[in-house]
Amino acid sequence: MPLLFHFGWVQPPVLGSIKKTVNTAALALFFHSFELYFTRMKCTLHTLLLLLLCTQIQAQRWQQHADYQINVDMNVQKHQYNGTLRLAYTNNSPDTLDRAFWHLYFNAFQPNSMMDIRSRTIQDPDARVGSRISKLSPEEQGWIKVKKLSQNGRPVKYEQQETILETYLAAPIIPGETVVFDVEWDAQVPIQIRRSGRDNREGISYSMAQWYPKLCEYDEQGWHANPYVAREFYGVWGDFDVKITIDKQYVVAAGGYLQNPQEVGCGYEDPKKPLNLPAGNQLVWHFKTPNVHDFVWAADPDYTQTSIVAEDGTTMRFFWQKGKGYDEQWGKLPAIMSRARTLMNQRCGPYPYREYCIIQGGDGGMEYPLATLITGNRGLNSLVGVSVHEQLHSWYQMVLGSNESLYGWMDEGFTSFAEDWVMNQLAEEGLLPGKTAEKDPYEGAISAYTALAKSGTEEPLTTHADHFNTNYAYSLASYVKGGVFLIQLEYILGKETFDRGLLRYFHTWKFKHPNANDVTRVFEKESGLELDWFKEDWVNTLNTIDYAVKSVEKEGRKSTEVVITRIGRMAMPLDIMVTYTNGDQALFYAPLEGMRGQKPAENKIERTILPDHRWVEPTYTFQIPSSAKKIAKIEIDPSQRMADIDMENNTWVSPD
Ligand SMILES: [Zn+2]
């Protein structure tokens, strides 16, 4: 579409991205008219215009925007509900859209769905799913049937392909335009198989995740209309306004701010004000949630709610079924989560919402904006562990929101990394009974990664999450190798630089869907070091790290020569610790040539900086000057953060 047309139709420049489109378009027009008169300058003007456009692309990342107004009416006898949805969708992309795609997740819970077949054919199925979907009776299945769909009041043609609804728009949506979709649908809640559904194994009536027609995300890589096979999520940020009408025996918990507490009570109400419960058998629960990419709720007649104002001033709500043997743990959870949140804010960046809800429901632990569904029958440390993990997704999935299908490791991996640290801090503060803090909270992650690397089933992190050959390879890549990505960065950059980089990553990329390059660039900027060599090996390949101390030989009276071999294909900068028989230590540091610099000394330990280590060389040789002291031990990476897959050969011990 010609630029002129864009310019004429662009909405008032409310958002930065649109404003820039207008400016660029205006400049384009300006230069275009010049062109007519000064044809000789044509080349120069084109180049200038191209440069301007490139600057625009590099300086920002546009985001689509989707504001939902949803009304649902739940029939608790039939486990069915009907809903209406009004979606104001703003196309902030530079592209004109003539189709739109929606997720209809509940349709996965039908025999022979892609999720069913995937689960029955993968070699290591998730035990929660197995072949259960293939055996669902019609009453147990899930479905969403769209009855009506219109765009700005005009009916839209649509086609349902299982979990994806494809719509052929009534009129193309041009860059900068906001359109309104109205959708009406009927749905049936499946029996709980995975994540959402009715009657979970702990007896929670409704775990309502992935429950409404949800617009797929459109980004610089186009539409992400991935059929649901039980794995990942990606969504458009916007504001949700949700009204749930349900039998008044049910207590509703949700990832949102309740708008009408006096009309529902159940622990939400202000005790100083009178309750104003409506007559009749039903209650309407009205929630609003700003700037999120999904909305979850749960309902059960036996929920108990407790809430606290956490150390950071936010409200935390807890919903569980009392009297089933785990009240003590749930009673202790709020104070611990309050402390955990403070740690998260310090390490990962400030939590940007004013509420968070921990809800018994689902089938393990699953994260949503402002809420999590977790199973409740757990010991205290397990309850804290799952709550900490799911809450940390508020940073890496909800606020940063990397596309989990393409960069699952940037969500699960970074979340697991932060979880290991938070849990270790809580243990150190004596908040986890029977658990003492580890000196190195990441030891478990590094050994799990090593097992993956040696398993023969590893696939690169660039693998689309849905397409990993096994659940094992997917899980270990996402949860573990993704976390070890950050541990390696800490080793390469030094702890202080790394910690600053982690915060800078949050502040730079919040609400922008960062990718693998974005996160690496932030750490490059923070450290001043080059990191592309690291990202390319760690993310795109299965290359592994394995260094060994090959030989240590005294060279006459002046020095000792140390030869290090690089056995693994991946090169790394090397910290090498020399320990003398009297206990003294001397640290040597061989930066990697590709880093174009050095990390600062860590923990103020003095070190000898050696010449660059060049990755092409199979060995690296350096000299330790002789002294009166006798060398007892030479060790590569004494911090043991470097993910060397064979630690056995990292240390040389003097035979004497
Ligand atoms: Zn997770």
Side-chain angles (χ1 to χ4, degrees):
M1 192 174 287
L3 221 40
L4 178 66
F5 187 73
H6 287 199
F7 184 55
W9 282 86
V10 161
Q11 300 284 313
V14 188
L15 295 166
S17 56
I18 300 174
K19 204 184 265 173
K20 289 214 172 170
T21 311
V22 173
N23 291 345
T24 316
L27 279 166
L29 271 177
F30 175 75
F31 284 122
H32 185 70
S33 45
F34 259 99
E35 231 178 39
L36 299 174
Y37 300 101
F38 303 101
T39 43
R40 272 182 351 152
M41 286 179 73
K42 206 168 176 179
C43 256
T44 324
L45 287 170
H46 268 141
T47 315
L48 198 56
L49 182 57
L50 253 175
L51 266 173
L52 274 166
L53 284 169
C54 289
T55 316
Q56 184 199 357
I57 290 160
Q58 279 170 11
Q60 62 184 327
R61 177 157 305 151
W62 49 265
Q63 297 294 327
Q64 303 297 70
H65 189 87
D67 291 331
Y68 285 87
Q69 281 179 295
I70 305 178
N71 279 282
V72 284
D73 198 342
M74 176 66 90
N75 177 333
V76 295
Q77 273 78 44
K78 290 171 118 175
H79 310 297
Q80 293 180 357
Y81 58 102
N82 49 55
T84 60
L85 171 161
R86 170 162 283 198
L87 171 65
Y89 181 58
T90 305
N91 177 15
N92 289 323
S93 85
D95 309 323
T96 297
L97 308 176
D98 54 9
R99 288 191 300 173
F101 297 87
W102 306 67
H103 296 285
L104 303 175
Y105 293 109
F106 274 3
N107 292 338
F109 300 102
Q110 295 168 17
N112 279 319
S113 68
M114 287 177 71
M115 181 171 167
D116 176 32
I117 293 170
R118 178 74 172 148
S119 179
R120 284 188 283 126
T121 53
I122 198 163
Q123 7 169 324
D124 57 345
D126 184 325
R128 290 168 291 198
V129 186
S131 59
R132 287 175 68 206
I133 299 176
S134 68
K135 295 170 190 153
L136 292 177
S137 69
E139 298 73 43
E140 292 171 331
Q141 292 171 18
W143 42 259
I144 297 191
K145 289 176 189 158
V146 170
K147 295 191 291 189
K148 245 186 209 170
L149 207 158
S150 66
Q151 173 191 351
N152 292 344
R154 288 167 65 186
V156 166
K157 255 178 59 188
Y158 55 87
E159 206 174 284
Q160 184 189 307
Q161 284 153 355
E162 205 177 287
T163 57
I164 295 293
L165 186 82
E166 183 171 352
T167 51
Y168 304 92
L169 299 178
I173 312 173
I174 62 168
E177 189 186 6
T178 300
V179 296
V180 174
F181 290 109
D182 283 292
V183 187
E184 282 178 40
W185 79 94
D186 289 330
Q188 177 167 289
V189 186
I191 195 107
Q192 170 107 36
I193 300 277
R194 184 76 184 93
R195 295 195 175 109
S196 53
R198 66 177 166 92
D199 305 315
N200 85 343
R201 67 168 194 264
E202 295 183 339
I204 302 298
S205 297
Y206 295 110
S207 300
M208 297 296 285
Q210 300 93 37
W211 56 279
Y212 60 95
K214 180 181 170 187
L215 195 75
C216 298
E217 180 60 300
Y218 181 87
D219 65 14
E220 72 283 0
Q221 299 189 44
W223 284 105
H224 295 273
N226 293 336
Y228 185 48
V229 293
R231 224 158 239 166
E232 302 302 342
F233 302 98
Y234 188 42
V236 191
W237 277 292
D239 301 337
F240 280 71
D241 183 324
V242 179
K243 286 183 182 146
I244 299 156
T245 304
I246 190 167
D247 186 296
K248 72 180 346 170
Q249 290 185 4
Y250 286 76
V251 179
V252 174
Y257 308 141
L258 186 71
Q259 301 296 302
N260 57 342
Q262 302 310 111
E263 289 164 28
V264 297
C266 300
Y268 284 101
E269 72 276 17
D270 180 344
K272 288 181 236 104
K273 293 184 193 160
L275 275 179
N276 182 22
L277 300 179
N281 293 331
Q282 295 196 306
L283 290 180
V284 179
W285 299 72
H286 183 195
F287 293 93
K288 284 187 179 180
T289 318
N291 212 14
V292 288
H293 51 65
D294 204 358
F295 185 91
V296 70
W297 60 284
D300 192 85
D302 304 316
Y303 271 147
T304 289
Q305 174 179 187
T306 53
S307 65
I308 56 159
V309 175
E311 282 175 20
D312 69 351
T314 60
T315 297
M316 289 183 174
R317 299 181 189 278
F318 301 80
F319 292 85
W320 83 101
Q321 286 184 341
K322 237 183 179 160
K324 290 190 133 184
Y326 33 84
D327 292 347
E328 197 189 325
Q329 297 88 296
W330 279 81
K332 287 179 178 163
L333 186 62
I336 303 174
M337 288 313 292
S338 167
R339 176 65 191 141
R341 170 72 73 66
T342 302
L343 296 169
M344 295 173 191
N345 289 337
Q346 282 167 3
R347 179 97 164 136
C348 309
Y351 178 69
Y353 304 103
R354 57 169 210 265
E355 290 200 21
Y356 189 76
C357 215
I358 294 178
I359 307 165
Q360 184 183 5
D363 58 4
M366 182 62 198
E367 69 277 13
Y368 301 98
L370 282 78
T372 176
L373 296 178
I374 60 169
T375 46
N377 186 7
R378 298 161 177 269
L380 180 61
N381 290 352
S382 163
L383 191 62
V384 173
V386 70
S387 302
V388 164
H389 177 93
E390 305 311 339
Q391 157 95 84
L392 277 162
H393 277 296
S394 295
W395 280 260
Y396 298 106
Q397 175 54 17
M398 304 315 151
V399 175
L400 286 151
S402 298
N403 180 343
E404 277 186 284
S405 296
L406 298 177
Y407 317 107
W409 58 276
M410 291 175 64
D411 172 31
E412 291 299 352
F414 293 7
T415 295
S416 301
F417 170 86
E419 175 198 351
D420 287 345
W421 180 80
V422 170
M423 289 301 283
N424 209 48
Q425 290 296 119
L426 293 176
E428 201 168 292
E429 294 175 20
L431 292 169
L432 304 177
K435 207 166 182 281
T436 46
E438 312 273 347
K439 199 171 144 262
D440 173 10
Y442 306 120
E443 206 183 313
I446 291 187
S447 61
Y449 158 70
T450 304
L452 170 72
K454 290 177 169 174
S455 71
T457 62
E458 189 189 3
E459 295 173 65
L461 291 182
T462 48
T463 311
H464 188 287
D466 292 345
H467 296 279
F468 276 89
N469 200 31
T470 57
N471 278 318
Y472 171 78
Y474 157 73
S475 305
L476 273 281
S478 295
Y479 287 74
V480 172
K481 195 179 179 185
V484 178
F485 174 94
L486 292 182
I487 301 167
Q488 299 316 281
L489 280 180
E490 188 193 294
Y491 168 72
I492 294 164
L493 305 177
K495 185 161 181 354
E496 285 172 22
T497 312
F498 171 79
D499 286 353
R500 288 196 311 271
L502 195 64
L503 284 169
R504 184 168 174 170
Y505 172 52
F506 177 80
H507 289 296
T508 308
W509 285 104
K510 58 186 173 189
F511 303 112
K512 288 184 190 146
H513 296 318
N515 60 39
N517 191 57
D518 299 324
V519 62
T520 311
R521 282 293 292 137
V522 164
F523 283 99
E524 284 192 336
K525 287 176 184 172
E526 189 58 45
S527 64
L529 297 173
E530 290 295 301
L531 293 168
D532 32 3
W533 58 272
F534 167 69
K535 179 197 69 188
E536 278 147 22
D537 263 12
W538 196 258
V539 177
N540 301 347
T541 77
L542 299 180
N543 291 350
T544 51
I545 305 162
D546 181 12
Y547 282 96
V549 183
K550 189 182 175 200
S551 63
V552 177
E553 264 165 57
K554 214 158 159 56
E555 296 276 289
R557 305 172 81 188
K558 273 165 93 186
S559 65
T560 300
E561 183 181 83
V562 181
V563 180
I564 307 274
T565 343
R566 179 174 57 76
I567 301 165
R569 286 181 66 183
M570 183 167 173
M572 285 286 268
L574 299 172
D575 284 335
I576 302 151
M577 184 66 90
V578 176
T579 305
Y580 296 94
T581 47
N582 69 354
D584 286 358
Q585 291 192 311
L587 183 64
F588 291 79
Y589 172 57
L592 190 69
E593 177 266 354
M595 291 164 63
R596 307 280 164 211
Q598 302 134 15
K599 72 172 162 186
E602 287 183 280
N603 305 318
K604 302 198 172 82
I605 296 174
E606 270 188 50
R607 60 188 180 168
T608 303
I609 297 176
L610 300 168
D612 277 354
H613 160 35
R614 303 184 299 173
W615 72 267
V616 290
E617 286 173 323
T619 56
Y620 179 81
T621 305
F622 70 100
Q623 318 291 328
I624 303 170
S626 287
S627 67
K629 294 182 278 192
K630 224 176 141 243
I631 297 171
K633 191 170 95 170
I634 297 175
E635 187 183 7
I636 300 169
D637 179 31
S639 74
Q640 303 207 339
R641 287 171 298 179
M642 188 172 82
D644 189 312
I645 61 160
D646 183 3
M647 303 271 197
E648 296 290 304
N649 56 18
N650 286 17
T651 307
W652 172 89
V653 181
S654 168
D656 322 333

